[in-house]
Amino acid sequence: MSMEIWRFVFALGGLALFLALELLFPYRPPTQSKVRRWKDNLSMAALNGVILFLAFAAPTMATVHYTASHGSGILNILDMPYGIKILLTVVFFDFMLYVWHLLNHEAPFLWRFHRVHHCDLNMDVSTATRFHVGELALSAVIRMGLIYFWGADLLGLVLFESLVVAASQFHHSSLRVPKAFERLFWILFVPPSMHRIHHSVVIRERNTNYGTIFSLWDRILGTLKSDVDQNGIRIGVGAYPQADQLRLRRLLRMPFEKPVR
């Protein structure tokens, strides 16, 4: 099974789980139609899944097999236990994802695509699927280069992809989480309250908290922000306040429209 298929199956299970939890323990009532948002977000996710599978499943697996058979990459040079290599693969790729995420906010060309994710007017587990295929395609190309550079094997990559899906679905979810748990979880990982700040319409809040699995990168590199009133956070991008203007067709063409912050 390719990583793309595994990620899709794993994500479906997570969507069902977190949707049920959101309905049972909601953080806040939605201000937009959940059904309409889910229809657009999941339609985009399905379209992305087909395109990414057709374009990148085979090249990615070929890169993994080539790296393993030729002993390419840093991990294949180092002599260390296999379990440590797996752990280092997760840590390395999560740090690279942090850097990529930061660049998607700081580089105007990349922000054109990434704003599709941020213009969702409510944040719930479906937001974790709301990415423009252009952003995901660029990410897939970069990932192949990193696989070769790092010498990552299939198990390490599947573990990393699984953790990314689970972490992203959790911290995007509109789920009421005990504050004591979040405070402890935030020491190493990313809870919903941390990522909710990242989805604020306030730019100085949005351009913080880039971590996906680990919160350590934000702590170390000075992009962590916590002193925000959670009840006052408004989700979205200021230039896109109307839900009727954020349907699937608009989202697909949004990167090619005028730049906004």
Side-chain angles (χ1 to χ4, degrees):
M1 181 183 295
S2 74
M3 284 188 293
E4 281 72 17
I5 293 178
W6 165 251
R7 182 176 179 133
F8 176 73
V9 172
F10 192 76
L12 279 181
L15 279 171
L17 172 63
F18 282 107
L19 173 60
L21 292 174
E22 287 177 347
L23 294 175
L24 289 171
F25 310 103
Y27 171 72
R28 61 171 60 159
T31 62
Q32 309 295 328
S33 168
K34 198 174 185 77
V35 172
R36 185 169 63 177
R37 288 183 50 258
W38 273 64
K39 179 182 176 182
D40 289 334
N41 289 352
L42 296 189
S43 294
M44 177 169 283
L47 177 63
N48 291 344
V50 171
I51 294 173
L52 293 173
F53 176 76
L54 293 176
F56 295 106
T60 300
M61 292 303 297
T63 303
V64 173
H65 291 311
Y66 180 90
T67 299
S69 62
H70 288 74
S72 305
I74 292 175
L75 289 184
N76 289 311
I77 298 173
L78 301 176
D79 183 17
M80 61 178 63
Y82 182 67
I84 299 299
K85 290 185 178 183
I86 296 297
L87 176 62
L88 289 178
T89 294
V90 172
V91 171
F92 171 76
F93 275 83
D94 188 60
F95 177 65
M96 290 294 100
L97 186 55
Y98 166 89
V99 174
W100 171 245
H101 194 176
L102 186 150
L103 289 174
N104 272 272
H105 282 251
E106 297 297 331
F109 174 75
L110 297 178
W111 173 249
R112 283 177 170 270
F113 294 89
H114 192 58
R115 64 185 173 178
V116 171
H117 175 66
H118 274 269
C119 69
D120 205 351
L121 296 175
N122 288 167
M123 190 175 84
D124 61 20
V125 64
S126 77
T127 310
T129 70
R130 180 192 176 104
F131 289 92
H132 195 278
V133 68
E135 176 180 346
L136 297 180
L138 289 170
S139 177
V141 172
I142 293 170
R143 182 178 62 173
M144 286 189 287
L146 291 175
I147 290 170
Y148 179 81
F149 168 79
W150 190 245
D153 74 351
L154 186 59
L155 178 59
L157 290 169
V158 168
L159 178 59
F160 167 70
E161 292 291 340
S162 301
L163 290 173
V164 164
V165 170
S168 183
Q169 290 181 334
F170 173 58
H171 64 233
H172 281 98
S173 63
S174 183
L175 176 63
R176 188 171 72 251
V177 181
K179 291 183 179 180
F181 172 81
E182 282 207 305
R183 281 195 295 269
L184 289 174
F185 195 79
W186 202 332
I187 295 173
L188 289 177
F189 305 106
V190 181
S193 57
M194 176 178 170
H195 201 71
R196 199 174 295 123
I197 295 170
H198 179 73
H199 275 262
S200 169
V201 296
V202 180
I203 294 177
R204 68 176 179 276
E205 295 174 1
R206 184 179 74 204
N207 290 344
T208 63
N209 298 356
Y210 297 109
T212 299
I213 298 174
F214 300 110
S215 62
L216 294 174
W217 316 126
D218 286 295
R219 293 184 185 279
I220 294 170
L221 297 173
T223 54
L224 183 70
K225 190 170 185 61
S226 59
D227 57 338
V228 175
D229 176 14
Q230 291 284 321
N231 293 324
I233 295 174
R234 185 162 66 94
I235 302 299
V237 174
Y240 304 110
Q242 301 297 326
D244 290 340
Q245 299 175 359
L246 296 172
R247 303 308 304 275
L248 180 61
R249 284 192 208 173
R250 174 75 185 282
L251 297 177
L252 292 174
R253 69 173 187 266
M254 186 178 287
F256 312 104
E257 297 176 349
K258 67 179 183 179
V260 303
R261 293 302 295 168

PDB file of all heavy atoms in Angstrom, residues 209-229:
ATOM      1  N   ASN A 209       3.104  29.891  15.896  1.00  0.00           N
ATOM      2  CA  ASN A 209       2.610  28.532  16.185  1.00  0.00           C
ATOM      3  C   ASN A 209       2.518  27.669  14.923  1.00  0.00           C
ATOM      4  O   ASN A 209       1.447  27.184  14.554  1.00  0.00           O
ATOM      5  CB  ASN A 209       1.251  28.609  16.882  1.00  0.00           C
ATOM      6  CG  ASN A 209       1.319  29.332  18.219  1.00  0.00           C
ATOM      7  OD1 ASN A 209       2.385  29.723  18.671  1.00  0.00           O
ATOM      8  ND2 ASN A 209       0.187  29.509  18.858  1.00  0.00           N
ATOM      9  N   TYR A 210       3.668  27.455  14.292  1.00  0.00           N
ATOM     10  CA  TYR A 210       3.705  26.726  13.027  1.00  0.00           C
ATOM     11  C   TYR A 210       3.841  25.215  13.189  1.00  0.00           C
ATOM     12  O   TYR A 210       3.766  24.480  12.208  1.00  0.00           O
ATOM     13  CB  TYR A 210       4.880  27.214  12.172  1.00  0.00           C
ATOM     14  CG  TYR A 210       4.800  28.664  11.765  1.00  0.00           C
ATOM     15  CD1 TYR A 210       5.655  29.618  12.324  1.00  0.00           C
ATOM     16  CD2 TYR A 210       3.880  29.085  10.818  1.00  0.00           C
ATOM     17  CE1 TYR A 210       5.591  30.952  11.942  1.00  0.00           C
ATOM     18  CE2 TYR A 210       3.808  30.411  10.425  1.00  0.00           C
ATOM     19  CZ  TYR A 210       4.673  31.342  10.994  1.00  0.00           C
ATOM     20  OH  TYR A 210       4.606  32.655  10.613  1.00  0.00           O
ATOM     21  N   GLY A 211       4.075  24.739  14.399  1.00  0.00           N
ATOM     22  CA  GLY A 211       4.333  23.322  14.609  1.00  0.00           C
ATOM     23  C   GLY A 211       3.161  22.436  14.228  1.00  0.00           C
ATOM     24  O   GLY A 211       1.998  22.851  14.302  1.00  0.00           O
ATOM     25  N   THR A 212       3.479  21.195  13.843  1.00  0.00           N
ATOM     26  CA  THR A 212       2.439  20.218  13.520  1.00  0.00           C
ATOM     27  C   THR A 212       2.386  19.116  14.579  1.00  0.00           C
ATOM     28  O   THR A 212       1.383  18.963  15.266  1.00  0.00           O
ATOM     29  CB  THR A 212       2.671  19.594  12.134  1.00  0.00           C
ATOM     30  OG1 THR A 212       2.631  20.618  11.139  1.00  0.00           O
ATOM     31  CG2 THR A 212       1.591  18.558  11.822  1.00  0.00           C
ATOM     32  N   ILE A 213       3.461  18.368  14.747  1.00  0.00           N
ATOM     33  CA  ILE A 213       3.503  17.351  15.803  1.00  0.00           C
ATOM     34  C   ILE A 213       4.066  17.957  17.080  1.00  0.00           C
ATOM     35  O   ILE A 213       3.427  17.927  18.131  1.00  0.00           O
ATOM     36  CB  ILE A 213       4.349  16.137  15.373  1.00  0.00           C
ATOM     37  CG1 ILE A 213       3.751  15.459  14.139  1.00  0.00           C
ATOM     38  CG2 ILE A 213       4.446  15.140  16.533  1.00  0.00           C
ATOM     39  CD1 ILE A 213       4.607  14.340  13.575  1.00  0.00           C
ATOM     40  N   PHE A 214       5.264  18.524  16.975  1.00  0.00           N
ATOM     41  CA  PHE A 214       5.961  19.050  18.151  1.00  0.00           C
ATOM     42  C   PHE A 214       5.824  20.569  18.242  1.00  0.00           C
ATOM     43  O   PHE A 214       5.929  21.271  17.232  1.00  0.00           O
ATOM     44  CB  PHE A 214       7.448  18.686  18.104  1.00  0.00           C
ATOM     45  CG  PHE A 214       7.713  17.203  18.086  1.00  0.00           C
ATOM     46  CD1 PHE A 214       8.207  16.588  16.951  1.00  0.00           C
ATOM     47  CD2 PHE A 214       7.458  16.428  19.198  1.00  0.00           C
ATOM     48  CE1 PHE A 214       8.460  15.226  16.926  1.00  0.00           C
ATOM     49  CE2 PHE A 214       7.700  15.057  19.189  1.00  0.00           C
ATOM     50  CZ  PHE A 214       8.192  14.461  18.037  1.00  0.00           C
ATOM     51  N   SER A 215       5.632  21.060  19.452  1.00  0.00           N
ATOM     52  CA  SER A 215       5.635  22.509  19.693  1.00  0.00           C
ATOM     53  C   SER A 215       7.049  23.028  19.955  1.00  0.00           C
ATOM     54  O   SER A 215       7.251  24.232  20.073  1.00  0.00           O
ATOM     55  CB  SER A 215       4.741  22.844  20.890  1.00  0.00           C
ATOM     56  OG  SER A 215       5.229  22.228  22.078  1.00  0.00           O
ATOM     57  N   LEU A 216       8.016  22.120  20.030  1.00  0.00           N
ATOM     58  CA  LEU A 216       9.388  22.500  20.390  1.00  0.00           C
ATOM     59  C   LEU A 216      10.001  23.480  19.403  1.00  0.00           C
ATOM     60  O   LEU A 216      10.763  24.372  19.796  1.00  0.00           O
ATOM     61  CB  LEU A 216      10.273  21.252  20.474  1.00  0.00           C
ATOM     62  CG  LEU A 216       9.949  20.262  21.591  1.00  0.00           C
ATOM     63  CD1 LEU A 216      10.808  19.005  21.446  1.00  0.00           C
ATOM     64  CD2 LEU A 216      10.181  20.912  22.953  1.00  0.00           C
ATOM     65  N   TRP A 217       9.702  23.315  18.121  1.00  0.00           N
ATOM     66  CA  TRP A 217      10.325  24.190  17.112  1.00  0.00           C
ATOM     67  C   TRP A 217       9.883  25.637  17.324  1.00  0.00           C
ATOM     68  O   TRP A 217      10.696  26.564  17.189  1.00  0.00           O
ATOM     69  CB  TRP A 217       9.968  23.719  15.703  1.00  0.00           C
ATOM     70  CG  TRP A 217      10.069  22.235  15.526  1.00  0.00           C
ATOM     71  CD1 TRP A 217       9.096  21.386  15.060  1.00  0.00           C
ATOM     72  CD2 TRP A 217      11.203  21.397  15.826  1.00  0.00           C
ATOM     73  NE1 TRP A 217       9.538  20.090  15.062  1.00  0.00           N
ATOM     74  CE2 TRP A 217      10.820  20.066  15.515  1.00  0.00           C
ATOM     75  CE3 TRP A 217      12.471  21.641  16.328  1.00  0.00           C
ATOM     76  CZ2 TRP A 217      11.684  18.989  15.686  1.00  0.00           C
ATOM     77  CZ3 TRP A 217      13.343  20.577  16.507  1.00  0.00           C
ATOM     78  CH2 TRP A 217      12.946  19.274  16.187  1.00  0.00           C
ATOM     79  N   ASP A 218       8.622  25.852  17.647  1.00  0.00           N
ATOM     80  CA  ASP A 218       8.151  27.208  17.924  1.00  0.00           C
ATOM     81  C   ASP A 218       8.813  27.765  19.176  1.00  0.00           C
ATOM     82  O   ASP A 218       9.164  28.952  19.225  1.00  0.00           O
ATOM     83  CB  ASP A 218       6.627  27.207  18.109  1.00  0.00           C
ATOM     84  CG  ASP A 218       5.883  27.034  16.792  1.00  0.00           C
ATOM     85  OD1 ASP A 218       5.986  27.925  15.943  1.00  0.00           O
ATOM     86  OD2 ASP A 218       5.214  25.999  16.624  1.00  0.00           O
ATOM     87  N   ARG A 219       9.006  26.933  20.175  1.00  0.00           N
ATOM     88  CA  ARG A 219       9.664  27.391  21.407  1.00  0.00           C
ATOM     89  C   ARG A 219      11.119  27.776  21.145  1.00  0.00           C
ATOM     90  O   ARG A 219      11.589  28.824  21.562  1.00  0.00           O
ATOM     91  CB  ARG A 219       9.628  26.283  22.473  1.00  0.00           C
ATOM     92  CG  ARG A 219       8.242  25.962  22.998  1.00  0.00           C
ATOM     93  CD  ARG A 219       8.300  24.925  24.106  1.00  0.00           C
ATOM     94  NE  ARG A 219       6.960  24.540  24.510  1.00  0.00           N
ATOM     95  CZ  ARG A 219       6.207  25.240  25.337  1.00  0.00           C
ATOM     96  NH1 ARG A 219       6.671  26.367  25.851  1.00  0.00           N
ATOM     97  NH2 ARG A 219       4.990  24.821  25.666  1.00  0.00           N
ATOM     98  N   ILE A 220      11.809  26.919  20.423  1.00  0.00           N
ATOM     99  CA  ILE A 220      13.237  27.130  20.187  1.00  0.00           C
ATOM    100  C   ILE A 220      13.489  28.327  19.279  1.00  0.00           C
ATOM    101  O   ILE A 220      14.420  29.120  19.506  1.00  0.00           O
ATOM    102  CB  ILE A 220      13.861  25.858  19.578  1.00  0.00           C
ATOM    103  CG1 ILE A 220      13.828  24.709  20.605  1.00  0.00           C
ATOM    104  CG2 ILE A 220      15.302  26.112  19.138  1.00  0.00           C
ATOM    105  CD1 ILE A 220      14.192  23.357  20.016  1.00  0.00           C
ATOM    106  N   LEU A 221      12.659  28.493  18.256  1.00  0.00           N
ATOM    107  CA  LEU A 221      12.902  29.507  17.230  1.00  0.00           C
ATOM    108  C   LEU A 221      12.084  30.784  17.415  1.00  0.00           C
ATOM    109  O   LEU A 221      12.087  31.664  16.562  1.00  0.00           O
ATOM    110  CB  LEU A 221      12.636  28.912  15.847  1.00  0.00           C
ATOM    111  CG  LEU A 221      13.590  27.758  15.495  1.00  0.00           C
ATOM    112  CD1 LEU A 221      13.184  27.085  14.201  1.00  0.00           C
ATOM    113  CD2 LEU A 221      15.031  28.251  15.404  1.00  0.00           C
ATOM    114  N   GLY A 222      11.387  30.892  18.545  1.00  0.00           N
ATOM    115  CA  GLY A 222      10.752  32.154  18.907  1.00  0.00           C
ATOM    116  C   GLY A 222       9.468  32.467  18.181  1.00  0.00           C
ATOM    117  O   GLY A 222       9.072  33.635  18.099  1.00  0.00           O
ATOM    118  N   THR A 223       8.779  31.458  17.661  1.00  0.00           N
ATOM    119  CA  THR A 223       7.511  31.710  16.969  1.00  0.00           C
ATOM    120  C   THR A 223       6.308  31.223  17.789  1.00  0.00           C
ATOM    121  O   THR A 223       5.196  31.156  17.264  1.00  0.00           O
ATOM    122  CB  THR A 223       7.498  31.016  15.590  1.00  0.00           C
ATOM    123  OG1 THR A 223       7.794  29.624  15.756  1.00  0.00           O
ATOM    124  CG2 THR A 223       8.519  31.654  14.660  1.00  0.00           C
ATOM    125  N   LEU A 224       6.531  30.909  19.041  1.00  0.00           N
ATOM    126  CA  LEU A 224       5.441  30.451  19.895  1.00  0.00           C
ATOM    127  C   LEU A 224       4.667  31.638  20.460  1.00  0.00           C
ATOM    128  O   LEU A 224       5.263  32.619  20.912  1.00  0.00           O
ATOM    129  CB  LEU A 224       5.991  29.610  21.048  1.00  0.00           C
ATOM    130  CG  LEU A 224       4.949  29.008  21.990  1.00  0.00           C
ATOM    131  CD1 LEU A 224       4.162  27.911  21.294  1.00  0.00           C
ATOM    132  CD2 LEU A 224       5.621  28.459  23.252  1.00  0.00           C
ATOM    133  N   LYS A 225       3.348  31.547  20.442  1.00  0.00           N
ATOM    134  CA  LYS A 225       2.501  32.576  21.045  1.00  0.00           C
ATOM    135  C   LYS A 225       1.391  31.889  21.837  1.00  0.00           C
ATOM    136  O   LYS A 225       0.710  30.999  21.328  1.00  0.00           O
ATOM    137  CB  LYS A 225       1.890  33.490  19.983  1.00  0.00           C
ATOM    138  CG  LYS A 225       1.206  34.728  20.565  1.00  0.00           C
ATOM    139  CD  LYS A 225       0.825  35.710  19.480  1.00  0.00           C
ATOM    140  CE  LYS A 225       0.259  36.999  20.054  1.00  0.00           C
ATOM    141  NZ  LYS A 225       1.219  37.720  20.915  1.00  0.00           N
ATOM    142  N   SER A 226       1.226  32.314  23.092  1.00  0.00           N
ATOM    143  CA  SER A 226       0.205  31.696  23.942  1.00  0.00           C
ATOM    144  C   SER A 226      -0.681  32.719  24.642  1.00  0.00           C
ATOM    145  O   SER A 226      -1.759  32.377  25.107  1.00  0.00           O
ATOM    146  CB  SER A 226       0.880  30.803  24.993  1.00  0.00           C
ATOM    147  OG  SER A 226       1.777  31.557  25.792  1.00  0.00           O
ATOM    148  N   ASP A 227      -0.231  33.972  24.720  1.00  0.00           N
ATOM    149  CA  ASP A 227      -0.942  34.995  25.504  1.00  0.00           C
ATOM    150  C   ASP A 227      -2.084  35.622  24.692  1.00  0.00           C
ATOM    151  O   ASP A 227      -2.096  36.824  24.417  1.00  0.00           O
ATOM    152  CB  ASP A 227       0.033  36.067  25.984  1.00  0.00           C
ATOM    153  CG  ASP A 227       0.795  36.725  24.843  1.00  0.00           C
ATOM    154  OD1 ASP A 227       0.904  36.109  23.764  1.00  0.00           O
ATOM    155  OD2 ASP A 227       1.276  37.855  25.043  1.00  0.00           O
ATOM    156  N   VAL A 228      -3.038  34.793  24.296  1.00  0.00           N
ATOM    157  CA  VAL A 228      -4.179  35.243  23.497  1.00  0.00           C
ATOM    158  C   VAL A 228      -5.456  34.739  24.164  1.00  0.00           C
ATOM    159  O   VAL A 228      -5.530  33.584  24.589  1.00  0.00           O
ATOM    160  CB  VAL A 228      -4.097  34.700  22.051  1.00  0.00           C
ATOM    161  CG1 VAL A 228      -5.351  35.065  21.273  1.00  0.00           C
ATOM    162  CG2 VAL A 228      -2.857  35.240  21.351  1.00  0.00           C
ATOM    163  N   ASP A 229      -6.455  35.610  24.255  1.00  0.00           N
ATOM    164  CA  ASP A 229      -7.749  35.223  24.807  1.00  0.00           C
ATOM    165  C   ASP A 229      -8.441  34.284  23.823  1.00  0.00           C
ATOM    166  O   ASP A 229      -8.856  34.688  22.743  1.00  0.00           O
ATOM    167  CB  ASP A 229      -8.606  36.465  25.049  1.00  0.00           C
ATOM    168  CG  ASP A 229     -10.008  36.132  25.540  1.00  0.00           C
ATOM    169  OD1 ASP A 229     -10.242  34.977  25.947  1.00  0.00           O
ATOM    170  OD2 ASP A 229     -10.875  37.037  25.501  1.00  0.00           O
TER     171      ASP A 229
END
